[in-house]
Amino acid sequence: MQQENPSRRRFLKQAGLGLSAALVSPYFFSCETKKVGTTPFHNLGIQLYSIRDLIAQDPVKTLETVAKIGYKHVETFGLDPVNGTFWGLPISDLKKVLEDNGLKSHSGHYDMSNYLKRGATSTESIEKYIEIAHKLGQENIVAPVTPMDNLNSLSVADYQYAADQLNKAGELSKTAGIKVGYHNHFWEFRNFANGTKGLDILIAFTEPTLVDFELDLFWIQKAGYNAQSYFEKYPGRFTMWHMKDMDNQYTTPVVGEKYDQADFSEIMKQIRYTEVGTGAVDFVNIANYADKSGLKYAFVEQDDIYLPNKFDSIKKSFDYIQKNIAK
């Protein structure tokens, strides 16, 4: 496995807050009456990367708390492919914890950075991902990120190769009833000479029957575009959303001449997240496009949480969506 650079570690690795204090909260000990509904917003999920430090410390209690807040399903991350575990839990144990708490897992993020990279000397085991996803009852194995060793050099050919690889993985997973997915960030919206963007290439060169897309509502806006335009342009292709909000003081787009060759660490200084409903993303309007996008599953995600209690943060996001969108 190749060495991660400091910028990637900063972006992908966990930061720490203690779990014990976070668990001492009212919603852990009580269960409110929740709305009954059938939309993806009523049946809301969470990408567990949002609380990565807590789940690494105590996955069982963390998942119990997620369920108590009201989340109905979780999107996994952080598979240890050598040992076949998530956060130290064997797959069978994780499945039982989810079942015990009334949680499902429809989707998981699986590292495909080498698999999607032209000329990579090592590859991830897509077959192993499919096997694990099948055991968890997941419908999608999602590539969470492009190869990150040199984002500023990604070319049209790189995106075309990645699309071809996604199709191949989709063919492999089809017999298990699983589709491959791709999750965007900001660099997929950088322009090539003809105005085409990386995300457009991925969508155009992948088969809809094999590959889904998971639109990150924060990152598309941070790139200077709006989700609604992509739902109109590519109806039915975005079956999953990451509902992530943007701090109102950090709304400047990070795509364009000033940023496209900038160091990743410098770009990240322009990034700050906040709880859903407290920032610059108009989720209420975007939610009107759920049918157009083909939405099946919506997940709260916040890459970095700044509140002292991270469970308070994900509850705040959950409550906003239930009150304002899951009507």
Side-chain angles (χ1 to χ4, degrees):
M1 186 173 182
Q2 70 181 50
Q3 184 70 27
E4 289 183 326
N5 62 45
S7 293
R8 188 180 185 202
R9 287 200 300 271
R10 180 185 176 200
F11 187 60
L12 296 178
K13 295 294 184 180
Q14 62 190 43
L17 276 179
L19 177 68
S20 56
L23 286 173
V24 182
S25 50
Y27 45 81
F28 184 68
F29 301 104
S30 64
C31 187
E32 302 173 8
T33 301
K34 304 299 181 184
K35 291 182 180 179
V36 176
T38 59
T39 73
F41 308 113
H42 290 91
N43 299 301
L44 189 63
I46 183 169
Q47 166 51 255
L48 293 171
Y49 181 80
S50 307
I51 46 174
R52 55 198 176 275
D53 51 336
L54 303 182
I55 202 161
Q57 293 176 53
D58 194 328
V60 175
K61 287 186 178 179
T62 297
L63 290 168
E64 288 175 358
T65 308
V66 164
K68 288 289 185 181
I69 290 171
Y71 288 98
K72 298 295 189 293
H73 57 98
V74 299
E75 188 171 47
T76 58
F77 80 100
L79 170 70
D80 178 346
V82 175
N83 296 307
T85 60
F86 287 94
W87 325 294
L89 286 179
I91 304 304
S92 57
D93 291 1
L94 173 57
K95 186 175 181 181
K96 185 176 187 306
V97 173
L98 293 174
E99 289 173 349
D100 288 348
N101 289 280
L103 292 169
K104 296 183 180 297
S105 184
H106 302 295
S107 173
H109 279 196
Y110 295 89
D111 185 10
M112 299 187 203
S113 53
N114 283 323
Y115 178 76
L116 298 179
K117 181 182 178 182
R118 286 195 300 160
T121 56
S122 61
T123 61
E124 285 80 31
S125 174
I126 301 301
E127 292 88 350
K128 188 172 186 66
Y129 296 165
I130 295 168
E131 177 187 351
I132 289 171
H134 182 68
K135 288 179 179 177
L136 289 174
Q138 292 176 340
E139 300 169 33
N140 290 89
I141 56 172
V142 178
V145 71
T146 57
M148 288 191 66
D149 51 344
N150 193 350
L151 295 174
N152 295 349
S153 70
L154 288 172
S155 66
V156 169
D158 290 321
Y159 282 108
Q160 289 174 336
Y161 177 82
D164 188 47
Q165 291 291 89
L166 291 170
N167 282 331
K168 290 177 181 177
E171 286 283 2
L172 286 173
S173 65
K174 182 169 61 174
T175 56
I178 293 171
K179 292 180 76 175
V180 171
Y182 181 85
H183 168 273
N184 68 280
H185 291 82
F186 64 87
W187 52 86
E188 294 93 343
F189 296 95
R190 289 172 170 171
N191 282 317
F192 292 108
N194 60 357
T196 300
K197 300 163 184 62
L199 188 62
D200 295 296
I201 296 169
L202 291 174
I203 295 171
F205 283 83
T206 51
E207 293 294 333
T209 57
L210 302 176
V211 181
D212 285 335
F213 287 84
E214 181 173 63
L215 192 69
D216 189 299
L217 302 182
F218 173 99
W219 287 118
I220 188 172
Q221 184 162 324
K222 193 62 179 173
Y225 297 90
N226 67 70
Q228 297 93 317
S229 66
Y230 266 74
F231 299 149
E232 292 282 3
K233 190 175 183 180
Y234 303 109
R237 294 305 303 272
F238 295 98
T239 62
M240 296 168 284
W241 295 359
H242 272 186
M243 302 184 75
K244 179 190 303 176
D245 213 343
M246 183 186 304
D247 189 296
N248 285 305
Q249 302 302 311
Y250 289 78
T251 58
T252 302
V254 292
V255 167
E257 184 177 353
K258 180 179 178 180
Y259 293 103
D260 288 353
Q261 291 301 315
D263 184 79
F264 184 73
S265 62
E266 289 301 310
I267 293 176
M268 290 307 294
K269 292 178 182 177
Q270 308 301 318
I271 306 297
R272 189 173 174 89
Y273 315 95
T274 189
E275 286 68 36
V276 173
T278 66
V281 179
D282 187 353
F283 294 99
V284 173
N285 183 275
I286 294 171
N288 293 327
Y289 290 76
D291 290 341
K292 174 72 75 172
S293 82
L295 183 65
K296 293 176 64 177
Y297 301 115
F299 307 91
V300 164
E301 186 188 35
Q302 188 170 332
D303 291 6
D304 288 307
I305 292 174
Y306 315 107
L307 295 182
N309 187 316
K310 294 190 176 183
F311 287 128
D312 286 346
S313 172
I314 65 170
K315 184 177 188 299
K316 190 172 184 179
S317 293
F318 177 88
D319 289 346
Y320 174 84
I321 293 169
Q322 298 310 298
K323 180 179 179 181
N324 296 280
I325 300 175
K327 296 180 179 179

